Amino acid sequence: MSDIERKVLRVISNYTAGRRRTPTVDELCIKTGRNRGGIMTVLEVLAKEEYIEWQRSTPDTMAVLEAWERKEPGRW
């Protein structure tokens, strides 16, 4: 998992825990300093790797499936 993917996942998880809703794509842009296209790409990767449920057709609707990065074999 890249640094930005890890960061976005943590932002989504922490935001959801604190506010009882997931952040919008625009809120993720503000929190990460990335543009909308970059965030959409990261969300696609996180959805593909099954960390979140998300579809490009409804970008502000997401659900966290796994809030922490999975351990890779051989890594501490």
Side-chain angles (χ1 to χ4, degrees), residues 3-66:
D3 287 343
I4 187 61
E5 292 163 1
R6 189 176 304 107
K7 181 177 184 175
V8 170
L9 182 60
R10 295 303 316 142
V11 168
I12 294 169
S13 299
N14 291 337
Y15 193 100
T16 302
R19 294 196 170 87
R20 305 285 185 236
R21 69 173 179 87
T22 56
T24 64
V25 172
D26 291 333
E27 289 168 331
L28 287 173
C29 292
I30 292 167
K31 299 270 185 212
T32 62
R34 298 289 177 129
N35 63 28
R36 189 173 178 87
I39 292 297
M40 298 288 274
T41 301
V42 170
L43 291 173
E44 284 177 344
V45 170
L46 291 174
K48 180 181 174 195
E49 294 180 4
E50 298 181 347
Y51 283 101
I52 63 171
E53 278 185 4
W54 179 81
Q55 294 179 349
R56 197 181 238 322
S57 60
T58 54
D60 291 335
T61 303
M62 62 190 82
V64 177
L65 300 175
E66 193 169 346

